[in-house]
Amino acid sequence: MAEIEFEFAKDGPVLVKKDGKVEYALCRCGHSTKKPFCSGAHAANNFKAEGSKLELKA
């Protein structure tokens, strides 16, 4: 079974990881030009948010 983890990067995107490998970086600042994916716009827009993790195991 695959292990899925959502890492909410401090001041950055949501990293969707499968078995420890980043599969996607999702925007959570609202300024991405590649929504729903992260374009790095959070850095230019001074986005601030706490970091955390959520692990899903089947």
Side-chain angles (χ1 to χ4, degrees), residues 2-44:
E3 183 175 306
I4 305 295
E5 178 181 86
F6 295 89
E7 180 180 338
F8 296 79
K10 181 172 175 22
D11 303 331
V14 177
L15 303 175
V16 180
K17 298 179 178 181
K18 180 179 176 184
D19 295 328
K21 180 183 171 196
V22 175
E23 296 286 324
Y24 303 102
L26 302 175
C27 175
R28 67 177 183 148
C29 75
H31 295 284
S32 177
T33 58
K34 301 185 327 181
K35 289 178 188 163
F37 304 104
C38 177
S39 67
H42 57 274

